């Protein structure tokens, strides 16, 4: 049996894979929180972003960790179609779980269905990625550790969805993301410890792509997507913030209906009247009114009474 090394680059790949898992979890939680604050098309779009973020984060975590995976006595290659399929499975199945919670509300049934579906999706992605391995030998698994890894995935997914429903404060979301990242990493390495490889020495060339030819560029690209999307979500105002901005704008906006209303009985001055009738010029010109008339009629009775007395 070949010796398996899960950290050929030391602690670099485990630490970096954990960071990727945390970023994906944080982004997925924030997007789910945003989705629950909205309705209609906006909710659907936020849930799609949450599903892609969680699926991408989990997949990136898995394959960044696989960068440090090695087996003595054989090279390792990856089947490209199966590797891409594992990414699509991660996003699709995680999406089913996220949508179940996003539209099912805070019901126990929706939470359990969402957690079970998402957890199975995470485990499916992991073992599909392992099936993409090409090496000189045969890969076997310890059934008990495989079952334990699936249980960890389901529990972690359910806890993450529960956190999305009940935790809204940024600090609490950050803590939940750290816990979710630790759970996903635990699931991955539990599944990896279940692996047994019986190496068969051979000089034949393996099919597929090397980790640096395919997995590394794809992991870097998806990691960049996660960080760019994180910046977008961080800069996007929440529904509460938009409502606060709208209320503030209404308070400071001038009222377009306001008019410059003259006091009741006010008449233009003599100079205005003279200008209006062309006094002293021999011409009749129309001067612009010195004020805007009010929207309603003006009560002129007090002015008439004063004129009668005068």
């Amino acid at each position: 049996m070949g010796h398996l090394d899960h950290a050929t680059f030391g602690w670099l790949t485990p630490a970096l894979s954990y960071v990727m898992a945390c970023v994906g979890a944080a982004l997925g939680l924030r997007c789910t929180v945003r989705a629950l604050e909205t309705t209609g098309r906006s909710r659907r779009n936020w849930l799609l972003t949450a599903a892609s973020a969680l699926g991408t984060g989990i997949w990136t975590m898995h394959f960044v960790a696989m960068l440090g995976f090695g087996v003595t006595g054989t090279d390792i290659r990856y089947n490209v179609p199966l590797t891409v399929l594992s990414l699509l499975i991660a996003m699709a199945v995680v999406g089913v779980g996220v949508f179940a919670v996003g539209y099912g509300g805070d019901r126990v049934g929706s939470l359990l269905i969402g957690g079970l579906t998402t957890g199975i999706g995470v485990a499916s992605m992991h073992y599909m990625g392992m099936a993409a391995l090409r090496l000189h030998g045969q890969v076997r698994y310890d059934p008990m550790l495989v079952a334990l890894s699936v249980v960890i995935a389901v529990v972690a997914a359910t806890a993450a969805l529960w956190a999305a429903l009940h935790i809204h404060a940024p600090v609490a979301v950050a803590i939940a993301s750290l816990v979710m990242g630790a759970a996903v990493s635990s699931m991955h390495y539990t599944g990896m410890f279940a692996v047994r490889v019986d190496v068969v020495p051979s000089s034949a060339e393996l099919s597929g792509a090397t980790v640096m030819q395919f997995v590394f560029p794809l992991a870097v690209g998806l990691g960049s997507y996660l960080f760019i999307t994180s910046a977008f979500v961080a800069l996007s105002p929440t529904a509460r913030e938009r409502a606060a901005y709208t209320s503030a704008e209404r308070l400071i906006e001038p009222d377009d209906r306001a008019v410059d209303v003259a006091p009741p009985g006010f008449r233009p001055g003599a100079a205005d009247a003279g200008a209006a009738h062309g006094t002293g010029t021999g011409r009749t010109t129309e001067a612009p009114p010195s004020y805007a008339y009010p929207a309603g009629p003006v009560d002129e009775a007090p002015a008439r009474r004063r004129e009668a007395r005068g």
Side-chain angles (χ1 to χ4, degrees):
M1 187 174 72
H3 173 70
L4 277 63
D5 190 351
H6 299 285
T8 58
F9 297 105
W11 284 100
L12 176 63
T13 49
L16 187 57
S17 65
Y18 173 68
V19 170
M20 291 294 102
C22 291
V23 171
L27 187 54
L29 291 177
R30 291 304 299 166
C31 290
T32 305
V33 170
R34 297 290 185 90
L36 296 174
E37 294 176 346
T38 60
T39 57
R41 183 180 300 178
S42 181
R43 170 171 290 194
R44 181 202 64 191
N45 292 340
W46 278 117
L47 289 175
L48 287 173
T49 306
S52 67
L54 278 172
T56 300
I58 293 168
W59 188 94
T60 306
M61 177 270 148
H62 171 79
F63 279 98
V64 167
M66 292 301 291
L67 293 176
F69 176 70
V71 181
T72 56
T74 178
D75 293 329
I76 295 177
R77 298 289 186 274
Y78 289 88
N79 180 284
V80 174
L82 282 179
T83 304
V84 174
L85 181 60
S86 68
L87 171 61
L88 298 179
I89 287 176
M91 291 191 293
V93 184
V94 168
V96 172
V98 169
F99 271 80
V101 171
Y103 286 99
D106 191 13
R107 294 200 299 267
V108 176
S110 299
L111 186 61
L112 292 179
I113 291 173
L116 180 63
T117 305
T118 304
I120 291 176
V122 172
S124 300
M125 179 279 304
H126 174 86
Y127 289 106
M128 180 66 72
M130 293 300 296
L133 282 176
R134 296 292 180 265
L135 46 76
H136 294 301
Q138 182 180 5
V139 178
R140 297 180 292 106
Y141 292 94
D142 182 335
M144 294 299 295
L145 288 178
V146 169
L148 178 60
S149 69
V150 175
V151 171
I152 293 174
V154 172
V155 172
T158 305
L161 294 176
W162 179 89
L165 289 171
H166 296 88
I167 298 177
H168 295 167
V171 174
V173 170
I175 295 173
S177 302
L178 295 176
V179 174
M180 178 65 179
V184 171
S185 297
S186 299
M187 177 267 160
H188 169 83
Y189 284 105
T190 300
M192 293 306 296
F193 289 143
V195 175
R196 303 289 185 271
V197 178
D198 296 324
V199 176
V200 178
S202 174
S203 60
E205 185 176 354
L206 293 167
S207 62
T210 66
V211 68
M212 290 300 176
Q213 286 175 338
F214 173 66
V215 175
F216 179 73
L218 187 57
V220 170
L222 292 176
S224 301
Y225 162 77
L226 286 175
F227 283 106
I228 292 172
T229 307
S230 299
F232 168 76
V233 173
L235 295 174
S236 298
T238 63
R240 294 179 182 178
E241 290 172 344
R242 286 195 299 271
Y245 294 155
T246 303
S247 299
E249 287 177 358
R250 287 176 179 171
L251 289 175
I252 64 175
E253 266 183 1
D255 191 351
D256 294 336
R257 298 171 299 172
V259 293
D260 187 8
V261 180
F266 177 79
R267 293 178 180 274
D272 292 339
H277 294 286
T279 303
T281 63
R283 294 180 302 173
T284 301
T285 58
E286 285 203 23
S290 59
Y291 59 87
Y293 287 95
V298 176
D299 185 7
E300 296 186 355
R304 289 173 182 171
R305 287 196 293 270
R306 284 197 298 271
E307 289 178 0
R309 289 197 299 271

